[in-house]
Amino acid sequence: MQTVFTGVADAPAAPGVAVVVDVMRAFTVAAWAFRRGAERIVFAGTLEEALELKARHPGWLAVQDGEPVPGFDLANSPGRLRSHDLRGRTLVQKTTAGTVGALAVAQARLLLCASFVVAGATAEVLRRARPETVAFVVTGDGGRAEEDLACAQYIAERARAGGARPVPGPYLDRARRSHAAARLSDGVRRGLRGVHAEDVSMCLEADAFPFAMTAAREDGRLVLRPVDPGGPPSPPTA
């Protein structure tokens, strides 16, 4: 399996297999939403689009980055989201990095969205699919986010591994020292309402959940759903 690590701006428009990584925090939040029972997550390209979708579907919940915005129900914070009962709910998510990256490679034949909490399951999907090439899209800091690159490299190594799996510690240490982790910690110190004191630690829990997350077009929208990595293997993808 050959790997390409790229930022959103340089990502191929229609890769065979793409793994979009946003550790802090979009795809940690998405994983927690599924853990709390959400059925699916619809990605929106803009805040206005997210609110329009919510208005057309009153039962949907809208999620956004940063400080609370009128009309949105949830912050893009795993610490703030984990107390919500989301059973059967549809979420609309708009973030500055993760959802942008996913929409940029929406034409991929197999599109996975990942963070550390679903890294092992994501690697298993790749291992079973046996693609020739995987494009890992590093979404944070214009493609330079150390936490996203560390997670992408951990997933890639796990997907390649035979009997000996890589230990997550060194990759998590890189993420812990990242600019994104420092910004979140600073937001907590400043009392910002869009962050939670446990966001960083929750983003650095490797292999916490047994599912991966795949995105595909449904009725013209890019929709994320959890997937069992032990299910029927995907066909080989170039």
Side-chain angles (χ1 to χ4, degrees):
M1 184 183 79
Q2 296 181 332
T3 54
V4 176
F5 300 94
T6 179
V8 176
D10 299 319
V17 177
V19 180
V20 184
V21 183
D22 189 337
V23 171
M24 296 184 185
R25 298 167 284 174
F27 298 145
T28 301
V29 167
W32 267 99
F34 291 131
R35 175 66 178 83
R36 298 297 299 156
E39 178 181 347
R40 62 177 183 163
I41 297 173
V42 180
F43 292 150
T46 64
L47 295 177
E48 292 76 16
E49 181 185 356
L51 291 177
E52 178 186 348
L53 283 169
K54 180 189 170 185
R56 286 162 46 193
H57 304 276
W60 291 12
L61 300 173
V63 185
Q64 46 78 220
D65 266 336
E67 291 296 273
V69 173
F72 283 84
D73 305 285
L74 301 167
N76 188 48
S77 160
R80 294 190 179 279
L81 179 135
R82 68 177 173 183
S83 62
H84 290 269
D85 182 354
L86 301 176
R87 283 176 290 185
R89 303 300 292 269
T90 293
L91 275 59
V92 182
Q93 189 178 34
K94 167 64 180 86
T95 70
T96 56
T99 60
V100 174
L103 289 166
V105 292
Q107 301 307 314
R109 281 177 281 174
L110 173 61
L111 174 54
L112 295 152
C113 295
S115 60
F116 276 112
V117 294
V118 293
T122 304
E124 180 62 15
V125 172
L126 294 176
R127 191 186 68 79
R128 293 171 67 85
R130 295 184 295 176
E132 293 181 9
T133 304
V134 179
F136 285 90
V137 182
V138 175
T139 61
D141 291 339
R144 300 182 299 275
E146 184 65 15
E147 73 283 359
D148 293 342
L149 179 59
C151 182
Q153 291 172 339
Y154 175 59
I155 293 169
E157 289 304 311
R158 281 205 59 157
R160 293 192 191 100
R165 292 179 178 177
V167 296
Y171 301 93
L172 294 171
D173 287 342
R174 288 166 55 190
R176 192 173 290 110
R177 296 192 299 268
S178 68
H179 293 303
R183 286 195 297 267
L184 285 178
S185 297
D186 180 64
V188 171
R189 286 191 294 271
R190 293 165 54 198
L192 299 183
R193 292 180 295 161
V195 297
H196 187 278
E198 295 185 31
D199 277 355
V200 171
S201 62
M202 292 177 70
C203 290
L204 298 179
E205 295 175 347
D207 312 321
F209 301 138
F211 55 83
M213 302 185 295
T214 59
R217 290 285 183 185
E218 298 181 16
D219 298 324
R221 302 284 180 186
L222 190 61
V223 176
L224 188 69
R225 294 182 183 272
V227 61
D228 179 1
S234 301
T237 308

